[in-house]
Amino acid sequence: MSASGTAAAGHVEHMLRQVTPGRYDAYEALLKALADPANGRVWMLLWHGVPGSPDAQYGTMEIDGVGYAPCVTSAQELAVSGWNRAHEVVTGLDIARALYPDRSGIWLNPHAPGGGVGVPWPDLRRIATGLDRMPAGPLRLSEPAVEIPHFYALLAQNAHRTTPIRSLRRVWVQPALGAPYLAIGLDLYDTSRTSVDAVRAMMQQSIAAVPEGLPVSTVAMSDEYDPVTMWLRANARPFYDRDAHAGGAAPAPGYGFPPQSR
């Protein structure tokens, strides 16, 4: 193996050794190592075929109902694992882009004492699209408890004037690392540039009503891979719904306002 390959393996393996239960900072450092286009390589284990062949297929394993493709972090680990079929050396970026759309993660060094470390598909997506663009998981998601009825009312009022918006939802997001924040789910009739620009302007107009120091972000309800969006679709009813208004449906009690604390 080349000197650069040795350095790549050493960087990822060093970060992997730091990961222990609850050490989310160490896990985040591992993701950064995998995302490094120069040094973030893994040795993917092929169950069928050889690299580049039409029948090439990664191995698969399932942990707690989630699918993973096993891999190792160096040629040395490959030898220790006893794997006697073909393998493929790829960058973390490339394997992340290939696997996350199928909701499959990677499992690093499953042969190692303790069973190795799994990187689930939402984190592969973060690697593929940029670690700083999405919050660090695992996420704790819940109904917002912060009382800001003026902001919600203004947001609903401005959304009603912004025709691309179908509905709005809300969720309180607590990342594994970083400050918690309020996320607004934006459900649009279309995602054309004109529509997106109009919605961005609407949010900028509304954000003035947010209390100082309260972080607010947005997520697209059309994003089927965003864990925040997935939670919103499954657990949160809209606090603004244009179609319900058009149909003459009466708003539910507390419509546009957070639930009362008990």
Side-chain angles (χ1 to χ4, degrees):
M1 183 166 57
S2 68
S4 62
T6 302
H11 185 48
V12 173
E13 285 183 0
H14 176 71
M15 294 299 105
L16 181 61
R17 294 190 193 106
Q18 312 308 310
V19 177
T20 56
R23 281 287 310 277
Y24 297 124
D25 58 333
Y27 178 73
E28 193 72 7
L30 172 63
L31 297 185
K32 290 179 181 178
L34 289 168
D36 184 342
N39 296 319
R41 296 188 183 92
V42 290
W43 281 244
M44 300 299 302
L45 308 183
L46 288 171
W47 186 251
H48 292 296
V50 296
S53 67
D55 63 340
Q57 181 181 337
Y58 295 132
T60 59
M61 54 191 293
E62 186 174 301
I63 307 294
D64 295 332
V66 180
Y68 296 87
C71 60
V72 297
T73 51
S74 66
Q76 291 89 341
E77 289 294 339
L78 182 67
V80 170
S81 74
W83 186 257
N84 57 11
R85 303 192 186 196
H87 67 277
E88 180 179 33
V89 182
V90 298
T91 68
L93 276 172
D94 284 342
I95 198 62
R97 290 166 180 159
L99 292 184
Y100 93 78
D102 293 329
R103 289 178 165 78
S104 181
I106 58 173
W107 200 279
L108 302 165
N109 295 348
H111 63 281
V117 172
V119 179
W121 70 263
D123 286 332
L124 288 191
R125 191 200 181 207
R126 291 185 62 221
I127 291 173
T129 60
L131 289 171
D132 59 343
R133 296 184 60 187
M134 301 179 69
L139 305 177
R140 293 169 57 192
L141 305 168
S142 61
E143 270 287 321
V146 59
E147 300 283 355
I148 47 174
H150 180 60
F151 170 62
Y152 294 133
L154 179 62
L155 190 58
Q157 183 181 39
N158 289 340
H160 194 64
R161 298 194 189 106
T162 309
T163 55
I165 296 178
R166 176 186 286 112
S167 66
L168 302 173
R169 290 175 169 87
R170 62 191 170 217
V171 59
W172 187 248
V173 182
Q174 294 180 278
L177 297 173
Y181 63 92
L182 175 68
I184 303 297
L186 303 170
D187 188 10
L188 310 183
Y189 290 107
D190 72 86
T191 55
S192 66
R193 178 63 179 272
T194 301
S195 295
V196 171
D197 287 345
V199 173
R200 183 179 294 113
M202 184 277 296
M203 287 300 302
Q204 290 174 346
Q205 293 169 2
S206 306
I207 211 73
V210 176
E212 185 176 355
L214 176 63
V216 177
S217 184
T218 60
V219 293
M221 295 301 297
S222 59
D223 189 342
E224 60 181 321
Y225 295 105
D226 191 310
V228 177
T229 295
M230 294 166 62
W231 188 94
L232 284 168
R233 288 199 176 278
N235 299 283
R237 63 182 178 87
F239 67 90
Y240 169 75
D241 189 333
R242 186 183 304 275
D243 294 342
H245 280 195
Y255 187 85
F257 297 87
Q260 297 297 314
S261 57
R262 299 178 180 178

